[in-house]
Amino acid sequence: MAASISSSIVACLKAFNQFIEGIQEVGTQKPGLVVQHWQDELGRLRIWAANIGAHQTNQSSLDYRLRDSAHIRQQILKLLDELIQRLEDAGHSIQNDESNDENDDIESLEGSSSEDEGPQTELQQLQ
């Protein structure tokens, strides 16, 4: 049997929390990384999951209610997996941007010059 919606939603919530922790580590240095906005989105996901029973495992679960609708169940699993992947990618992007910023700071201390206008960060491209 394929992954359950309940296990996917738990993984999604975990990925969301890790992403928010990554934002908090970076601070408010990056545009578009307002922790409160991402916490609001996490809250919306939790409300959705609670309202439809996505996190439950008994007969009131979304898995049980969709047992005869495999195509809908697969679509939900696909969307949750995609959300997990995007959150992980964004988290890696934040970490990479932070390490690049540290390298830029070291270079500026050493007297090397860099351009003021650079390409967009990976996170800005995802938005």
Side-chain angles (χ1 to χ4, degrees):
M1 180 180 226
S4 67
I5 293 173
S6 62
S7 64
S8 290
I9 196 70
V10 168
C12 192
L13 293 171
K14 182 179 176 183
F16 229 121
N17 283 317
Q18 289 173 341
F19 176 69
I20 291 172
E21 288 172 9
I23 294 172
Q24 290 171 334
E25 289 174 11
V26 171
T28 58
Q29 303 168 10
K30 304 286 182 193
L33 292 180
V34 180
V35 174
Q36 186 59 45
H37 294 167
W38 291 102
Q39 288 173 334
D40 290 347
E41 295 301 325
L42 175 59
R44 287 182 185 97
L45 179 62
R46 285 182 176 151
I47 290 170
W48 171 80
N51 284 343
I52 64 170
H55 64 290
Q56 297 181 4
T57 56
N58 55 19
Q59 290 186 347
S60 62
S61 72
L62 186 57
D63 279 314
Y64 183 80
R65 288 183 281 151
L66 293 176
R67 67 189 180 280
D68 296 327
S69 300
H71 63 286
I72 295 173
R73 182 179 175 280
Q74 290 303 317
Q75 184 65 29
I76 291 171
L77 285 169
K78 180 181 173 186
L79 291 170
L80 289 172
D81 288 341
E82 187 174 320
L83 179 57
I84 291 167
Q85 186 63 45
R86 295 215 180 218
L87 287 167
E88 289 173 353
D89 289 347
H92 293 307
S93 175
I94 290 170
Q95 291 172 353
N96 290 341
D97 287 347
E98 183 66 16
S99 65
N100 289 341
D101 288 346
E102 289 172 5
N103 290 339
D104 290 346
D105 291 342
I106 292 170
E107 288 175 3
S108 66
L109 290 174
E110 293 173 350
S112 64
S113 63
S114 61
E115 293 183 23
D116 291 336
E117 292 289 324
Q120 289 184 328
T121 64
E122 289 180 41
L123 183 61
Q124 290 170 331
Q125 291 173 353
L126 288 174
Q127 292 177 346

